[in-house]
Amino acid sequence: MKPRFRLQCRSCPKDGRKLVKAAVCLLGEYLADESLLHDMELALTEACANVILHAYGLSPEGKVEIVVRLKPGRRLALEISDWGRPPDKLPDCEKAGPADAESGRGLFIISKLVDRQSRSCCGGKNTLVLEKDVPEQAWKPSC
Amino acid sequence: METLLLSFKNGGLHVTPGREITIDEVSELKKSFESILTEHQAPLVLDLSGVGFIDSSGIGLLAALNTRMKNAGRLLVLRKPSPNVRKTLELVQLLPYFEIADSDEELIGLLQNV
């Protein structure tokens, strides 16, 4: 059976941070690689921050959802969803941007941490799917 | 509210943030740094040895601080960034942009050159 978890919170930075920590805690039940856990925590943090800032404009009235899907020994997928403003045309996330920029690094960071990403907007729900191939040795033996 | 620990040592103002620098803390930290930079003229040493996690908002705060200090002809040193902070700075290609001291000897050397 493939493990799958769904977590939700209000769209404010404090709750978003708690949501990410809860998702990483669940990942930690399956993954033994601390560096990979940090990378996934960072990718999720950036994705949730984008939702809170851009989809909801920092209004705490929205909902943020993370779905964690695991295929032990193979890969993991993180789905980050919101019901706010759909994303505009995505900016170029291939470049790190100017060194003195105060913002605009989130998508670049995500692109460096995952192997694949895709977006969908359906029925008012916007979802970003992040996928990471995870080698067998990075999983806990019990998986 | 984010608490910053402040101390003077070797001619630098040492500032120690909490365990995380993320979107959740950044707006409060900005206000704190605004006040610190207005009140003090000493080189700023930001102790990142105990920061276990930093996101792009935190990186943006460091970049803004560095730019402001450089423009004012002042020194900002990042002291002993933790492995996770160093990894994130490397990921966004900003390691060469900062003065970094990985040891207290390096830090004293940087502060003596001011």
Side-chain angles (χ1 to χ4, degrees):
Chain A
M1 192 171 126
K2 295 175 196 168
R4 185 177 187 274
F5 306 96
R6 181 190 301 268
L7 304 97
Q8 291 185 342
C9 76
R10 289 188 317 144
S11 55
C12 66
K14 196 168 286 301
D15 288 5
R17 188 76 191 110
K18 285 180 187 167
L19 186 77
V20 169
K21 283 183 174 176
V24 172
C25 189
L26 286 169
L27 281 174
E29 295 290 315
Y30 295 85
L31 298 173
D33 185 331
E34 289 295 327
S35 176
L36 176 62
L37 283 170
H38 171 266
D39 289 353
M40 294 304 98
E41 181 174 1
L42 184 53
L44 277 173
T45 300
E46 298 302 337
C48 287
N50 278 342
V51 164
I52 291 165
L53 287 174
H54 303 301
Y56 293 118
L58 276 174
S59 161
E61 303 306 317
K63 190 170 67 176
V64 185
E65 179 181 274
I66 294 176
V67 173
V68 177
R69 285 188 286 117
L70 303 171
K71 193 165 187 183
R74 301 282 296 278
R75 72 177 70 90
L76 63 85
L78 306 168
E79 299 176 5
I80 303 92
S81 298
D82 67 82
W83 289 260
R85 193 167 71 89
D88 299 324
K89 185 174 173 288
L90 288 178
D92 177 13
C93 60
E94 295 300 314
K95 293 177 187 164
D100 58 354
E102 216 172 314
S103 61
R105 296 186 177 89
L107 293 175
F108 175 78
I109 288 175
I110 291 172
S111 73
K112 292 291 172 192
L113 295 176
V114 301
D115 294 309
R116 290 169 296 281
Q117 54 176 311
S118 60
R119 285 178 184 272
S120 65
C121 301
C122 181
K125 182 180 183 180
N126 313 307
T127 301
L128 171 66
V129 181
L130 307 176
E131 290 186 288
K132 180 80 176 169
D133 297 327
V134 182
E136 203 165 344
Q137 63 271 22
W139 297 85
K140 286 189 172 173
S142 54
C143 299
Chain B
M1 186 174 166
E2 184 69 14
T3 305
L4 292 174
L5 295 177
L6 269 66
S7 63
F8 279 98
K9 200 174 168 187
N10 300 314
L13 174 62
H14 291 238
V15 179
T16 307
R19 293 276 307 143
E20 297 187 346
I21 307 179
T22 69
I23 186 175
D24 190 24
E25 291 91 15
V26 159
S27 60
E28 288 296 333
L29 284 173
K30 269 185 194 171
K31 288 179 201 164
S32 300
F33 278 113
E34 185 62 44
S35 160
I36 289 167
L37 295 184
T38 306
E39 285 174 27
H40 302 281
Q41 295 303 310
L44 188 65
V45 178
L46 192 52
D47 188 339
L48 299 177
S49 59
V51 178
F53 187 83
I54 189 167
D55 69 1
S56 66
S57 300
I59 296 288
L61 174 71
L62 298 189
L65 267 179
N66 202 35
T67 303
R68 178 171 171 174
M69 294 292 280
K70 275 184 179 171
N71 289 344
R74 295 170 64 185
L75 175 66
L76 168 70
V77 183
L78 306 185
R79 178 181 179 270
K80 296 182 182 175
S82 69
N84 282 346
V85 171
R86 178 173 279 276
K87 186 177 168 184
T88 306
L89 283 170
E90 196 167 15
L91 188 71
V92 295
Q93 301 166 9
L94 283 188
L95 273 180
Y97 181 63
F98 290 100
E99 290 286 0
I100 295 178
D102 283 318
S103 68
D104 286 332
E105 291 73 25
E106 272 183 67
L107 176 60
I108 290 168
L110 285 168
L111 292 173
Q112 280 174 346
N113 284 335
V114 174

